[in-house]
Amino acid sequence: MLKRTHNCGELRLADVGSAVRLCGWVRSYRDHGGVVFVDLRDREGITQVVFGVPDDDSEAAQQQYKLARALRHEWVISIGGEVGPRGEERNNPKLATGEIEVLCNELVLLNRSDAVPFEPDEYHTTSEENRLKYRYLDLRRPEMTKALRLRHQICRVMRNTLDEHDFVEVETPFLTRSTPEGARDFLVPSRMQFDSFYALPQSPQLFKQILMVGGLDRYYQVVRCFRDEDLRADRQPEFTQLDVELSFCSEQDVMDITNQVLRNICELCDKPFPADVPVIDYDESMRRFGTDRPDLRFGMELVDISDLASQTEFGVFNGALGSGGVVQCVVIPGGAVMTRKETDGLANWSKEFGAKGLANTKVAAGKTLETGVAKFLTPIAEELIERTGANEGDLICFGADTKKIVQRVLGELRSKMARERDLVPPGEFKWVWVVDFPLVEYNEDMKRLDVLHHPFTSPNMDDWETKQDTPTEMKSRAYDIVCNGMEMGGGSIRIHQPELQRKVFDLLDIGKEEAEEKFGFLLNALRYGAPPHGGIALGLDRVVMTMIGAHSIRDVIAFPKTQRGSCPLTNAPAAVDEQQLTDLDLKILTPPAEKQ
RNA sequence: GCGGCGGUAGCUCAAUUGGUUAGAGCCCUGGACUGUCGAUCCAGAGGUUGCGAGUUCGAGUCUCGUCCGCCGCGCCA
């Protein structure tokens, strides 16, 4: 194998005259009969290679030119030749190497390629399914190569930053035990103990806490996590976290080190990162944005008008208020241009989030309201416009329901409208910490309290001591880092005293026996001198997505799964041999035909 | 589990109200061409319209079912 002297992205005018050897894939070819051009691609770029009619009549030279004319898309070749200038009128400004070309004097065919289902260049697109099925072709696209290489660099920055702060990377088990609550576990049957199962970790949460008890002091890990839940554009069944845990720390210590990691990542990616990341508490975020992951790139905040609404004769408003609900609104700048069909569509869309509908009105000239529910709003029109700051040409959308539903719907509406109506300033990155989450919330369906973060999160101790009778008012010591409306990570100060942990389990109605059975090992560990500790986990996939502006998490993962959790490349998941089932003492109960 | 959108040549798409032999570009094959750069020109090959029923004289088109993909809801402590 003849060694490359250069890659396909680095030759410049200064190299003219050099003898070089390049290897790569035929991205395109242009056969003019007497001269053949090949654009040769590797991960670094594209270089034009020129094959001219050979001067000598030797068999070898003729054969080589014949081969050059036979080259097709994605064939793999090695070429030797001399770098030549293209000359001003022949430069290709689209290529970094566009001022030179390599005049080939030796061509070696390393491999042929079948006709490709799609050409991996910027001009051709194909279905998501095809991209995954032929992922090796898709990965040759510069965009994908770039994404994976940036992901690598981001990982390196994470490791370097934490290494500089004396963190130790420790691996934790993938084969572990199933723990209750949280997401559904992926199970792995045990052969040696045929009636038992391992579970793949949803996160290394318990192990990293035990590492703190073990005196590691500062731990991190770039680690795969597994959750068997349905997929979304930003969710895969296996995803990667930067998992971090520190001993003897406060919230501020965790936030400081996280900010440092993110700052270095943003510097790498040439994106801004603020000297001071804003911090808002959960209640404020819910009140102003209707969500715990606010997008601060635009305004359109929620405005409560319950007091004004009660002065109207509008049944929808009064009905909501009468049953203890609220009336709030969001102003959509320029939204008055929306048609009746479009606003009806919004009302229908709002039902996905539990709303009964979405009243609206338009702000017309002279600060008057028109269309929609305008006729009900006459008595409050002036003050409504004043309070919301709405302008002529805006659309005001109202939510009237329980506070929870109204915040949810208007929060979603705010994001949707900003996105769809181009109200998001391009190129902005708005980071924000959301803190003081409630410790628990009441689960209406199950008639019990559920944790917001996880059951090892420390309560705010003042609240814990004073609000035992109203647990939903207690705050926890949890925090989330959010960028542009996407949750990038979250963590908390943990409980390090076994007595408190036990009491929190009690609050969650996790019985003594169950706690002992499922979390006994953690409770035991806490009894042997567990230091105060806390940490965070950042979603690597989402950080990379944000940095490159990807719309799908699949675009930053080399081999992702489809929405139904299958892999078109390998056809996983797949049936296994009968013998494998026998070894595990497993039996498929539903015959394949009935599953459909 | 539910809702929305989609599935026609290897790829991207078209096909009037349900009406003749389902077309075009790219790719591929053969040919022409000494400066292209998403080369161009000529010719050719290439189809179970995702799959299965139904309605009809006639279905790519209408109906039902089903599979797959994408987006969302539920779910994701």
Side-chain angles (χ1 to χ4, degrees):
Chain A
M1 184 81 200
L2 290 163
K3 266 185 103 82
R4 287 179 277 185
T5 59
H6 294 79
N7 64 53
C8 295
E10 64 180 323
L11 292 172
R12 296 292 184 273
L13 270 182
D15 299 298
V16 165
S18 310
V20 298
R21 173 163 292 278
L22 302 177
C23 293
W25 286 262
V26 175
R27 191 193 80 126
S28 64
Y29 56 91
R30 296 174 290 280
D31 179 358
H32 288 248
V35 61
V36 179
F37 300 96
V38 164
D39 286 347
L40 192 65
R41 181 196 64 237
D42 67 12
R43 69 176 198 185
E44 305 295 343
I46 294 164
T47 299
Q48 173 164 288
V49 180
V50 187
F51 302 87
V53 177
D55 298 333
D56 66 292
D57 304 337
S58 74
E59 179 79 2
Q62 294 300 330
Q63 279 297 329
Q64 182 166 295
Y65 188 64
K66 199 176 162 193
L67 175 59
R69 297 192 65 184
L71 293 173
R72 291 295 177 269
H73 288 99
E74 301 307 313
W75 287 24
V76 189
I77 59 175
S78 169
I79 62 105
E82 186 178 314
V83 180
R86 291 211 199 179
E88 210 163 294
E89 64 283 4
R90 291 176 185 170
N91 286 347
N92 184 350
K94 289 186 195 169
L95 297 181
T97 61
E99 290 184 310
I100 58 92
E101 61 194 2
V102 176
L103 308 161
C104 179
N105 52 37
E106 190 189 0
L107 167 65
V108 180
L109 177 63
L110 299 174
N111 213 346
R112 289 178 164 80
S113 168
D114 284 356
V116 289
F118 59 92
E119 287 165 53
D121 61 33
E122 67 270 38
Y123 301 108
H124 293 82
T125 55
T126 186
S127 66
E128 190 84 29
E129 197 179 1
N130 258 335
R131 290 179 55 199
L132 296 186
K133 182 172 177 185
Y134 302 97
R135 195 58 158 175
Y136 36 84
L137 295 179
D138 194 41
L139 293 176
R140 286 179 204 164
R141 292 168 48 232
E143 196 186 348
M144 286 303 296
T145 307
K146 189 179 153 203
L148 291 186
R149 296 183 75 180
L150 184 72
R151 184 181 173 117
H152 156 72
Q153 289 178 309
I154 286 174
C155 282
R156 196 173 56 190
V157 165
M158 287 173 163
R159 289 193 159 101
N160 287 346
T161 307
L162 291 168
D163 184 59
E164 282 162 18
H165 289 82
D166 300 320
F167 284 77
V168 180
E169 181 160 20
V170 181
E171 291 167 276
T172 52
F174 276 4
L175 295 176
T176 180
R177 62 166 298 148
S178 177
T179 51
E181 302 192 74
R184 194 176 293 111
D185 283 323
F186 280 101
L187 296 178
V188 180
S190 161
R191 174 182 56 80
M192 288 180 277
Q193 298 171 40
F194 67 87
D195 57 350
S196 295
F197 294 80
Y198 301 98
L200 304 179
Q202 295 176 28
S203 81
Q205 180 61 34
L206 297 174
F207 289 108
K208 69 173 172 175
Q209 288 191 240
I210 290 170
L211 286 171
M212 294 303 101
V213 182
L216 263 288
D217 207 296
R218 298 187 150 212
Y219 143 93
Y220 81 93
Q221 184 179 191
V222 177
V223 64
R224 200 71 57 82
C225 303
F226 306 87
R227 296 180 188 176
D228 188 6
E229 296 293 348
D230 287 354
L231 277 36
R232 291 289 186 278
D234 60 354
R235 263 165 40 191
Q236 281 275 303
E238 48 181 314
F239 60 97
T240 306
Q241 285 187 342
L242 174 67
D243 198 43
V244 176
E245 198 80 2
L246 303 70
S247 293
F248 310 110
C249 68
S250 66
E251 287 90 332
Q252 196 57 51
D253 295 319
V254 180
M255 288 157 74
D256 284 345
I257 188 67
T258 306
N259 285 340
Q260 194 54 53
V261 169
L262 293 172
R263 180 171 293 115
N264 290 350
I265 290 170
C266 287
E267 189 186 351
L268 167 78
C269 301
D270 211 18
K271 308 289 187 215
F273 191 82
D276 291 301
V277 180
V279 179
I280 73 172
D281 64 50
Y282 174 89
D283 289 341
E284 182 184 350
S285 181
M286 294 304 291
R287 187 173 65 246
R288 291 171 58 192
F289 307 103
T291 174
D292 60 0
R293 43 182 178 85
D295 192 333
L296 303 187
R297 288 175 297 177
F298 48 89
M300 298 169 62
E301 296 187 17
L302 278 56
V303 179
D304 192 288
I305 56 155
S306 299
D307 55 325
L308 298 180
S310 66
Q311 298 166 34
T312 69
E313 303 292 317
F314 189 24
V316 171
F317 285 180
N318 290 310
L321 294 170
S323 48
V326 299
V327 179
Q328 300 184 353
C329 61
V330 162
V331 176
I332 298 155
V337 297
M338 292 175 75
T339 61
R340 174 66 189 266
K341 193 178 168 187
E342 287 174 306
T343 55
D344 282 353
L346 282 183
N348 201 40
W349 162 86
S350 75
K351 290 172 185 167
E352 277 181 34
F353 308 100
K356 295 177 194 73
L358 201 59
N360 68 78
T361 191
K362 293 172 180 176
V363 183
K367 302 254 174 184
T368 57
L369 300 177
E370 279 180 8
T371 74
V373 298
K375 63 178 174 181
F376 297 108
L377 303 175
T378 314
I380 63 165
E382 200 175 323
E383 204 173 341
L384 176 69
I385 290 171
E386 169 79 29
R387 187 179 299 181
T388 57
N391 293 307
E392 182 180 337
D394 294 350
L395 180 77
I396 308 180
C397 292
F398 302 90
D401 211 306
T402 63
K403 187 164 141 191
K404 193 172 174 179
I405 289 175
V406 169
Q407 288 182 333
R408 175 89 201 275
V409 171
L410 295 185
E412 294 284 350
L413 179 73
R414 176 177 175 270
S415 304
K416 179 186 170 77
M417 287 295 99
R419 207 177 333 116
E420 291 180 1
R421 305 188 60 75
D422 292 327
L423 300 169
V424 183
E428 285 217 40
F429 291 82
K430 292 291 189 182
W431 296 86
V432 57
W433 284 98
V434 181
V435 300
D436 292 338
F437 281 76
L439 181 68
V440 293
E441 67 181 349
Y442 187 66
N443 182 328
E444 297 282 351
D445 299 331
M446 305 297 285
K447 305 288 178 208
R448 62 154 198 246
L449 294 171
D450 281 346
V451 281
L452 256 79
H453 194 50
H454 57 54
F456 320 108
T457 299
S458 175
N460 173 306
M461 293 313 291
D462 289 341
D463 288 353
W464 182 255
E465 277 152 29
T466 59
K467 295 180 177 167
Q468 280 290 324
D469 296 336
T470 51
T472 54
E473 288 176 22
M474 290 185 205
K475 301 301 184 197
S476 72
R477 299 181 70 184
Y479 33 79
D480 277 0
I481 179 72
V482 173
C483 181
N484 294 356
M486 188 183 271
E487 183 192 330
M488 291 294 152
S492 63
I493 301 300
R494 328 294 184 188
I495 296 167
H496 67 282
Q497 293 143 321
E499 306 77 30
L500 180 60
Q501 184 66 71
R502 170 134 284 146
K503 284 176 187 161
V504 169
F505 283 154
D506 285 346
L507 181 68
L508 298 171
D509 212 21
I510 298 175
K512 204 163 189 162
E513 244 171 62
E514 188 187 357
E516 205 56 51
E517 142 90 31
K518 303 284 169 59
F519 304 116
F521 62 101
L522 175 71
L523 289 169
N524 277 341
L526 295 183
R527 281 164 43 204
Y528 293 96
H533 61 284
I536 193 167
L538 290 178
L540 172 65
D541 313 278
R542 290 182 181 180
V543 169
V544 180
M545 270 175 86
T546 301
M547 288 298 116
I548 66 174
H551 294 292
S552 166
I553 193 173
R554 293 181 298 278
D555 288 340
V556 299
I557 296 175
F559 302 104
K561 308 255 184 311
T562 69
Q563 198 174 45
R564 286 188 72 255
S566 56
C567 171
L569 178 74
T570 63
N571 276 326
V576 296
D577 293 340
E578 198 61 39
Q579 184 60 48
Q580 291 175 284
L581 291 175
T582 307
D583 285 348
L584 296 164
D585 203 35
L586 290 178
K587 191 172 173 66
I588 305 297
L589 293 178
T590 308
E594 288 178 33
K595 268 166 78 178
Q596 311 298 337

